[in-house]
């Protein structure tokens, strides 16, 4: 089967294969029941790893665009000729429960009440110089506390 698939390098290989196959189905170039090339043949034609094509086929199977049975060829699903819903957009991807991005702390676990109480206690008992800019190397009290902590926690002397 000759199948023109134009991969967009910006989207990545697997996503590009998925998008190209969805477009071919939507545009009618691949009708319901059309047999797709084997994953090995398509991978060789596109110059990508077979696993990339297998992953793309699997995703389209889960979305209902393709149909397959063990031991038989992958075909365009009958319902895919007129999809009832558009493919999942990037914005529709569920947000993970835990944000693992660098620089994004979990503020729900921050002890805000304890922090605020400590700040109030220090400001009530401290001198007016606490809010003033310290010399270039920082306040001596803070430097001593940091040095003691780093000595204990990190072995820095």
């Amino acid at each position: 089967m000759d199948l023109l698939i134009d991969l967009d390098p910006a989207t990545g290989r697997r996503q590009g294969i998925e998008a190209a196959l969805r477009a071919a189905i939507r545009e009618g170039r691949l009708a319901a029941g059309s047999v797709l090339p084997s994953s090995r043949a398509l991978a060789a034609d596109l110059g990508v790893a077979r696993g990339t094509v297998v992953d793309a086929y699997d995703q389209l199977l889960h979305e209902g665009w393709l149909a397959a049975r063990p031991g038989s060829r992958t075909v365009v699903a009958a319902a895919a000729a007129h999809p009832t819903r558009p493919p999942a957009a990037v914005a529709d991807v569920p947000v993970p429960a835990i944000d693992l991005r660098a620089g994004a702390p979990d503020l729900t676990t921050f002890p805000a009440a304890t922090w605020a109480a400590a700040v109030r206690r220090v400001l009530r008992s401290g001198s007016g110089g606490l809010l003033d800019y310290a010399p270039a190397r920082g306040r001596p009290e803070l430097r001593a506390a940091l040095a003691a902590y780093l000595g204990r926690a990190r072995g820095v002397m």
Side-chain angles (χ1 to χ4, degrees):
M1 165 185 217
D2 289 332
L3 177 62
L4 175 64
I5 294 183
D6 187 27
L7 297 180
D8 181 8
T11 62
R13 292 180 178 125
R14 181 185 58 82
Q15 291 174 337
I17 294 169
E18 290 172 19
L21 289 173
R22 279 189 205 102
I25 294 168
R26 264 193 231 105
E27 295 164 3
R29 292 186 291 131
L30 285 175
S34 297
V35 177
L36 293 178
S38 70
S39 58
R40 279 189 176 85
L42 186 57
D45 288 346
L46 297 175
V48 299
R50 178 176 175 250
T52 304
V53 176
V54 169
D55 290 344
Y57 277 8
D58 284 343
Q59 180 62 37
L60 294 171
L61 280 164
H62 291 295
E63 291 177 11
W65 292 94
L66 303 179
R69 287 183 307 210
S72 68
R73 310 236 18 211
T74 303
V75 298
V76 175
H82 304 286
T84 57
R85 65 174 201 267
V90 175
D92 294 341
V93 175
V95 178
I98 300 172
D99 187 1
L100 299 177
R101 291 177 297 165
D106 182 8
L107 298 177
T108 60
T109 61
F110 183 76
T114 305
W115 180 269
V119 168
R120 282 192 302 272
R121 186 175 59 250
V122 169
L123 290 176
R124 272 194 310 266
S125 66
S127 66
L130 284 175
L131 298 177
D132 192 14
Y133 284 105
R137 294 185 179 214
R139 296 202 54 84
E141 301 92 351
L142 178 60
R143 294 183 61 201
L146 285 173
Y149 168 76
L150 291 173
R152 282 191 319 271
R154 306 286 181 178
V156 176
M157 296 294 173

